[in-house]
């Protein structure tokens, strides 16, 4: 059992959230490339040093929940109940991500990322990292070697499916379960 975070940890988390919120508001308003990190620091009322203590790059300001997102993805495999198979757990994860498409601001966020080449590249690297981590978790869960191509293929398809609309997510997982039956 973990103890609740102390004051210092809560203060650091609040500062990080304030920086990320200020950055996202500015980026959505003016576009990623039109905003400087200095402007983000000023809007969050922190120094540039503090900003870079929390975020290693301008791009990381946009994807501020990167580690949490990866933990949730891996948790779908590692933390699932014993009576839930890996495909069902991953389908549930992908569906929950697909359901987020209806949240306010989603389309604006996607448009902002799509308009900035550096954000697209950062996002691609981030999801490739998730894919590698997921492949290792799936292989471990199935008792396979870490580089087993079946685990890598499954991870690739699952990661590519995240963010798709719910019917597409379901169609992909139906194919994974039953193969191509047309």
């Amino acid at each position: 059992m973990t103890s609740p975070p102390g004051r210092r940890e809560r203060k650091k988390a609040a500062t990080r959230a304030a920086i990320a919120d200020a950055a996202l508001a500015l980026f959505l308003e003016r576009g990623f490339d039109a905003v400087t990190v200095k402007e983000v620091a000023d809007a969050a009322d922190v120094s540039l040093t503090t900003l870079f203590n929390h975020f290693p790059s301008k791009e990381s300001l946009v994807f501020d929940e990167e580690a949490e997102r990866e933990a949730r993805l891996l948790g779908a495999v590692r933390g699932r109940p014993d009576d839930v198979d890996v495909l069902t757990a991953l389908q549930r994860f992908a569906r929950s991500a697909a359901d987020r498409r209806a949240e306010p601001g989603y389309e604006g966020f996607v448009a902002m990322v799509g308009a900035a080449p550096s954000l697209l590249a950062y996002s691609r690297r981030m999801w490739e990292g998730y894919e590698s981590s997921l492949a290792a978790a799936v292989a471990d869960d199935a008792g396979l070697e870490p580089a087993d191509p079946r685990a890598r293929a499954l991870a690739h398809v699952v990661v590519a499916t995240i963010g798709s609309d719910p019917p597409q997510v379901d169609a992909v997982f139906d194919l994974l379960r039953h193969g191509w039956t047309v």
Side-chain angles (χ1 to χ4, degrees):
M1 189 160 109
T2 61
S3 61
R7 182 175 6 157
R8 183 173 186 197
E9 289 79 18
R10 289 190 313 270
K11 190 172 180 178
K12 285 171 94 173
T15 299
R16 181 178 170 79
I19 295 168
D21 291 346
L24 187 58
L26 288 170
F27 294 155
L28 288 172
E29 178 184 326
R30 296 182 15 219
F32 179 77
D33 291 327
V35 177
T36 67
V37 289
K38 174 76 169 107
E39 290 172 304
V40 172
D42 289 344
D45 197 25
V46 298
S47 69
L48 277 173
T49 302
T50 298
L51 184 145
F52 284 118
N53 283 338
H54 289 276
F55 297 95
S57 68
K58 182 179 176 184
E59 291 77 13
S60 66
L61 289 163
V62 174
F63 300 102
D64 64 303
E65 297 177 358
E66 188 174 342
E68 294 86 353
R69 187 176 298 113
E70 182 175 31
R72 287 191 305 271
L73 173 60
L74 299 179
V77 173
R78 296 178 178 148
R80 73 185 194 283
D82 291 337
D83 63 336
V84 175
D85 65 273
V86 170
L87 284 180
T88 299
L90 289 171
Q91 182 175 12
R92 288 175 182 166
F93 179 88
R95 278 300 299 261
S96 71
D99 292 342
R100 286 191 208 109
R101 293 166 54 111
E103 291 179 4
Y106 179 84
E107 288 181 20
F109 180 84
V110 170
M112 177 193 64
V113 171
S118 64
L119 286 178
L120 282 173
Y122 187 96
S123 177
R124 192 173 306 114
R125 287 188 308 273
M126 180 182 71
W127 284 101
E128 287 170 357
Y130 293 169
E131 185 178 313
S132 294
S133 298
L134 180 59
V138 166
D140 182 58
D141 182 77
L144 302 171
E145 292 296 318
D148 189 287
R150 294 168 293 179
R152 296 205 58 80
L154 176 61
H156 180 76
V157 170
V158 169
V159 166
T161 303
I162 294 170
S164 299
D165 62 7
Q168 185 175 357
V169 168
D170 293 341
V172 166
F173 279 90
D174 186 57
L175 281 170
L176 288 170
R177 281 189 182 85
H178 307 292
W180 183 258
T181 56
V182 174

